[in-house]
Amino acid sequence: MSENEFIREVNDEYRRDRLAQIWSRYSGVFIGLAVLVVLGVGGWRYWQHAQAQQAEAASLRFEEALRRAKDGTPEDAEKAFAGVAAESPFGYRLLARLRAAAEAGKADPAAGAKAYAAIADDTAVGPALRDLARLRGALLLADKDDATALNTLQSLAAPTSAFRHTARETLGLVALKKGDVEGAGRWFDQIAADRETPAGLRQRLEIYVGLVAGGPVQVVEAAPAAPAAPPPPVVPDAPAPAPAEATR
């Protein structure tokens, strides 16, 4: 055996001894880590399975609530969606809350706006969906000239807002309804200047601009209609007219 082979054999033996010492000292730790890994993977798989079952059950309850919304009253639909929101994972819970607010708004706009406000104030909801809730709640009360709703629409009409197109259109129509032609024109000008305005809104904008150009609408009270002529008097027992003589 050469010197190099002897040195390699000694090094191999030394490494085997060191590994044996490490295993005898830390074998319990290694086994514990292996058990933890197995338990962790098993727990993760079980959690995924439980989440899938909950999502499937929530989907069935949500579909049932949709059927009740289609066939029943808004009150029944609101209760059904509220039940889904109380017992479902986050995604279905949020969808159910939005639908419950929409159904509540059909019967009572103020109640629907309050439900949307609760979603908008929930910090667990993403910013885009919170803005959507603000928009839907404001739209329920915009026609009632509600100051809070109009302020919300104005904040959503900012250039960086994803819902600025709907907010600007609504504010312009509200101003036009109140006879504020100049205010309506300013909102419609913002819609026209925005390069990202949807094509459908641009088509409606032509009508809005025409209404603004026409100025305030003056409603004139119609004159009362003239009374109808009285029917001719009926003469009782009047003799029947003689028949005309037949021509020969």
Side-chain angles (χ1 to χ4, degrees):
M1 178 182 295
S2 65
E3 183 179 357
N4 290 334
E5 291 178 352
F6 177 77
I7 293 174
R8 187 166 54 251
E9 288 290 337
V10 171
N11 289 334
D12 291 341
E13 186 67 24
Y14 176 77
R15 283 195 292 268
R16 284 194 293 269
D17 291 341
R18 290 292 299 168
L19 289 174
Q21 292 176 3
I22 292 173
W23 175 254
S24 63
R25 180 177 297 180
Y26 299 106
S27 59
V29 176
F30 293 150
I31 293 173
L33 289 175
V35 171
L36 288 176
V37 169
V38 172
L39 291 177
V41 173
W44 171 253
R45 293 296 186 184
Y46 175 79
W47 182 84
Q48 287 183 321
H49 177 68
Q51 290 294 310
Q53 285 186 327
Q54 291 181 5
E56 184 177 358
S59 175
L60 294 175
R61 290 195 297 269
F62 191 80
E63 290 179 1
E64 177 62 25
L66 289 175
R67 283 193 291 269
R68 292 181 61 178
K70 180 180 179 181
D71 301 332
T73 63
E75 291 80 3
D76 292 338
E78 180 186 358
K79 292 179 181 178
F81 285 116
V84 175
E87 302 175 358
S88 300
F90 180 78
Y92 280 103
R93 181 165 67 249
L94 180 56
L95 285 176
R97 291 177 67 187
L98 289 170
R99 284 302 304 264
E103 296 298 332
K106 293 179 181 178
D108 184 359
K114 184 177 180 180
Y116 279 122
I119 300 173
D121 294 337
D122 190 348
T123 56
V125 180
L129 291 176
R130 293 172 67 184
D131 285 345
L132 174 62
R134 292 190 183 95
L135 175 67
R136 297 294 298 271
L139 292 177
L140 289 174
L141 300 178
D143 288 341
K144 301 182 182 300
D145 202 18
D146 184 86
T148 302
L150 295 179
N151 289 335
T152 300
L153 289 174
Q154 290 179 9
S155 66
L156 293 173
T160 57
S161 173
F163 303 102
R164 62 187 182 276
H165 310 298
T166 302
R168 290 169 179 172
E169 181 180 15
T170 304
L171 288 168
L173 292 175
V174 170
L176 198 62
K177 182 179 179 181
K178 294 191 297 185
D180 183 8
V181 178
E182 293 183 0
R186 287 192 294 270
W187 289 116
F188 296 148
D189 288 342
Q190 291 187 31
I191 296 175
D194 194 331
R195 295 181 179 180
E196 298 182 358
T197 298
L201 178 54
R202 287 197 180 277
Q203 293 177 357
R204 296 193 299 273
L205 186 62
E206 297 179 1
I207 301 175
Y208 301 154
V209 171
L211 293 174
V212 171
V217 178
Q218 297 181 354
V219 180
V220 180
E221 185 177 358
V234 179
V235 180
D237 300 331
E245 184 177 358
T247 59
R248 295 182 180 180

